[in-house]
């Protein structure tokens, strides 16, 4: 907290015209906030400055980082963690080390993921029926592949199998992990930590799959009151979040 701050939980937003520190209250950042401006205007710099103060306040933050700009904010020029931020940044890279079993994905979310991978019409309907019959708790890539092999229509069978291979190729799914892996990862937000999901360089299927699954698990935890409200930072959100998902989050 800055000396002489008016706020209980101040968040630095820059300097005023006289060069004095300009702050806002973390309380007033609740809801939906947009940082807009021309390229090079300092949008990301402002977001990172605000994130650091929110982390110092143990607010609990989830960051979708498309350019790998946030993962080392807690590291000083000497290469060591800043004392006031030590242990508060958790780095997650989809596929390495962020992996989860297919049973962590709700059936309707899995169907949405397959649609994002290009599954359409009769093939999507058939896949939805397969997933519905199996139920979330027993879902696995191998079981889905076996069920898809039983589909009589060759074109539908081939379309489903191709998308299952694409899902496997994202490197996100590990059915040897226990169910609840993602809930365990996200529970660190309760400790006031900042989770930085590094999306840089990911193929679009892997990026969209990781974001959709994380958001659906996050919403479940919030709705079940197993997690207090958090701050979500979505850099270049249009690349990986649909408008409907943003509305659900808000």
């Amino acid at each position: 907290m800055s000396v002489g701050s008016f706020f209980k939980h101040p968040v630095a937003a820059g300097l005023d015209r006289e060069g004095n520190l300009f702050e806002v209250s973390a309380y007033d950042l609740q809801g939906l906030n947009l940082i807009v401006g021309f390229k090079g205007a300092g949008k990301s710099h402002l977001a990172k400055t605000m994130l650091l103060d929110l982390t110092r306040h143990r607010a609990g933050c989830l960051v979708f980082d498309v350019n790998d700009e946030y993962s080392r904010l807690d590291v000083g020029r000497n290469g060591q963690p800043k004392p006031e931020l030590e242990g508060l940044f958790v780095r997650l890279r989809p596929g390495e080390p962020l992996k989860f079993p297919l049973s962590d994905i709700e059936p309707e979310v899995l169907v949405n993921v397959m649609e994002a991978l290009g599954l359409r019409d009769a093939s999507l309907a058939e896949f939805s029926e397969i997933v519905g019959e199996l139920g979330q708790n027993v879902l696995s890539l191998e079981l889905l592949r076996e069920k898809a092999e039983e589909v009589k229509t060759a074109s539908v069978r081939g379309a489903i199998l191709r998308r299952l291979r694409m899902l496997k190729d994202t490197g996100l799914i590990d059915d040897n992990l226990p169910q609840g892996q993602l809930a365990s990862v996200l529970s660190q937000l309760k400790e006031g930590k900042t989770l930085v999901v590094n999306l840089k360089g990911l193929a679009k299927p892997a990026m969209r799959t990781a974001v959709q699954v994380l958001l659906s698990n996050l919403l479940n935890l919030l709705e079940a009151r197993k997690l207090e409200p958090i701050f979500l930072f979505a850099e270049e959100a249009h690349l990986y979040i649909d408008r409907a998902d943003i509305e659900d989050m808000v």
Side-chain angles (χ1 to χ4, degrees), residues 154-227:
S155 59
V156 172
R157 180 174 63 249
I160 294 175
L161 289 172
R162 283 194 299 275
R163 270 59 183 204
L164 287 175
R165 283 194 294 271
M166 290 173 67
L167 182 57
K168 181 179 180 180
D169 290 344
T170 64
L172 292 165
I173 309 300
D174 184 350
D175 288 318
N176 293 316
L177 294 171
Q179 188 177 21
Q181 188 75 13
L182 282 175
S184 177
V185 170
L186 292 170
S187 68
Q188 296 177 89
L189 293 166
K190 291 191 293 187
E191 304 168 25
K193 294 184 178 181
T194 289
L195 309 185
V196 180
V197 184
N198 181 7
L199 302 174
K200 184 177 181 179
L202 287 184
K204 197 165 186 178
M207 183 185 297
R208 290 185 63 86
T209 299
V211 172
Q212 281 195 31
V213 174
L214 281 168
L215 287 181
S216 67
N217 275 261
L218 179 62
L219 282 170
N220 288 339
L221 291 172
L222 290 168
E223 288 174 350
R225 299 293 190 266
K226 294 181 179 179
L227 189 65

Side-chain angles (χ1 to χ4, degrees), residues 23-70:
E23 297 173 326
V24 297
S25 171
Y27 180 84
D28 292 327
L29 295 176
Q30 298 179 92
L32 180 63
N33 301 277
L34 300 177
I35 301 176
V36 298
F38 291 110
K39 184 176 178 63
K43 300 183 298 296
S44 292
H45 180 76
L46 174 57
K48 285 181 277 190
T49 299
M50 298 175 81
L51 175 68
L52 285 173
D53 273 347
L54 288 170
T55 303
R56 291 185 181 101
H57 295 313
R58 306 290 184 99
C61 301
L62 176 62
V63 182
F64 291 127
D65 182 8
V66 295
N67 295 311
D68 193 17
E69 297 180 37
Y70 290 78

